[in-house]
Amino acid sequence: MAKSMIADADEAFDVVQDAMIRFAGRYARRPESEWRPLFFRIVINRARDWQRRQTVRNRVMFWRRNDEMPDPVDTAPAGRGAEPDRELMDEEAMATLQTAIRELPARQQQTFLLRCFEGLSVEETAAAMGCSGGSVKTHYFRALAALRKQLGEHWDG
Amino acid sequence: MAERDDRRLEERAKQLYRQQQEALDPDLRRRLADARRQALAAAQRGSKPLLPLTVLVPAGAAAAVVAGLVIVLSRQPGPEGDYTPLVAADPPVEDMEILLGNEDLELLDDLDFYLWLDDEPEIG
């Protein structure tokens, strides 16, 4: 998981950097209460754009990568800290959670990420997603139910 | 019962996410801070009066957290289910332009940059 996170970190950084520039350039004059939902809305849109473009790029470029596969030794995760068992358990729990999140319908997924991970209110989440507060509550309720079902009773580390 | 399970799931998910963010690479944190400063500088150049320094504090504080969100979003399968795009999707013809263009394939190495540049005529 650490390896895949590091591998994706540069792409994530580009998306966040792009969102920062767009946010600062276009929305700085908006009321402060709108900043967080606006910023997350931009991030969601840019991530979507990136994912679509990456799909196109992968179709065209896959044959060029055959000779560029990284050495697995070079890209192996770094050593663990003082509590390797606990860290490993947490990493696996997070990986399982992220897999389950990725399998949610997109609106449920966005609602869960914004509400649970980012701590946005119902109103902020609605603004970020461009929908009503009622829709946010419905999506979030369904997301939690789906995750509970998918993760099972034993997922809590 | 279900409500209690929901709470447990939420708390555990938040805990794991916090841990993930705390474990972010220090170099990535520094790059995010630099990006914040650059975005601020670009906004200041492009608008009068100058942007207050506090504008990007919420965005900057959220940036490290957002990195994890982006990782999740960028690795998911394409739109499906009840997804409704926040902005209108570009027409598929854009994909064809990418695939059928006459540009040197080396250009594709920087495709994201050029597409971004195309979208941002007012910056830079």
Side-chain angles (χ1 to χ4, degrees):
Chain A
M1 179 179 174
K3 176 186 170 188
S4 65
M5 284 178 62
I6 292 168
D8 287 338
D10 283 340
E11 305 291 355
F13 173 81
D14 288 344
V15 169
V16 174
Q17 184 179 39
D18 188 16
M20 284 179 174
I21 292 170
R22 187 169 289 246
F23 175 82
R26 296 186 178 179
Y27 301 110
R29 293 173 186 274
R30 300 288 284 268
E32 186 175 345
S33 61
E34 296 180 12
W35 288 349
R36 288 190 81 204
L38 275 171
F39 183 69
F40 283 117
R41 183 168 184 156
I42 296 169
V43 170
I44 288 172
N45 285 340
R46 304 315 279 176
R48 286 279 177 194
D49 287 348
W50 179 86
Q51 199 271 338
R52 186 182 62 78
R53 289 170 181 169
Q54 193 68 11
T55 301
V56 175
R57 172 189 281 194
N58 287 345
R59 282 203 301 267
V60 177
M61 299 294 290
F62 78 97
W63 57 271
R64 301 188 68 198
R65 297 200 181 111
N66 290 341
D67 296 332
E68 300 171 9
M69 294 295 289
D71 185 335
V73 174
D74 293 340
T75 55
R80 300 186 181 282
E83 298 181 88
D85 291 344
R86 185 72 208 179
E87 287 183 18
L88 181 61
M89 195 183 305
D90 286 347
E91 284 182 8
E92 288 175 349
M94 189 59 174
T96 303
L97 175 61
Q98 287 190 320
T99 300
I101 290 171
R102 283 196 291 273
E103 291 177 9
L104 291 173
R107 295 299 259 178
Q108 290 181 29
Q109 177 191 88
Q110 291 165 8
T111 308
F112 183 81
L113 293 172
L114 293 171
R115 291 277 292 130
C116 183
F117 279 3
E118 307 301 344
L120 266 61
S121 68
V122 170
E123 292 74 20
E124 289 173 327
T125 304
M129 295 175 59
C131 64
S132 69
S135 294
V136 168
K137 292 176 182 175
T138 301
H139 287 312
Y140 193 57
F141 175 80
R142 290 177 179 168
L144 287 174
L147 288 174
R148 260 195 294 114
K149 182 178 179 182
Q150 188 151 344
L151 294 170
E153 296 178 2
H154 303 293
W155 179 89
D156 62 7
Chain B
M1 180 67 178
E3 189 174 342
R4 193 183 67 190
D5 290 342
D6 283 349
R7 290 280 170 265
R8 280 181 59 195
L9 190 152
E10 283 180 299
E11 289 308 313
R12 177 64 172 151
K14 286 176 184 174
Q15 178 203 10
L16 290 171
Y17 192 58
R18 277 195 302 270
Q19 288 176 200
Q20 188 184 52
Q21 305 318 313
E22 288 165 4
L24 269 185
D25 178 22
D27 181 58
L28 179 59
R29 290 180 186 274
R30 182 187 54 75
R31 290 172 63 201
L32 285 167
D34 289 344
R36 189 179 72 228
R37 281 190 288 272
Q38 290 170 12
L40 181 60
Q44 286 176 332
R45 283 196 302 271
S47 64
K48 302 291 181 184
L50 294 180
L51 203 62
L53 282 173
T54 53
V55 163
L56 284 178
V57 169
V65 174
V66 165
L69 180 148
V70 174
I71 288 168
V72 173
L73 285 174
S74 63
R75 291 169 61 192
Q76 66 158 359
E80 59 183 356
D82 61 351
Y83 172 66
T84 304
L86 293 175
V87 294
D90 294 334
V93 69
E94 184 176 327
D95 290 357
M96 294 306 295
E97 289 172 0
I98 294 170
L99 290 168
L100 299 177
N102 292 323
E103 294 88 351
D104 190 310
L105 279 176
E106 292 297 326
L107 180 68
L108 290 170
D109 286 336
D110 296 317
L111 181 60
D112 288 339
F113 171 74
Y114 289 112
L115 290 170
W116 174 82
L117 201 63
D118 186 48
D119 286 345
E120 301 286 342
E122 73 278 18
I123 295 176

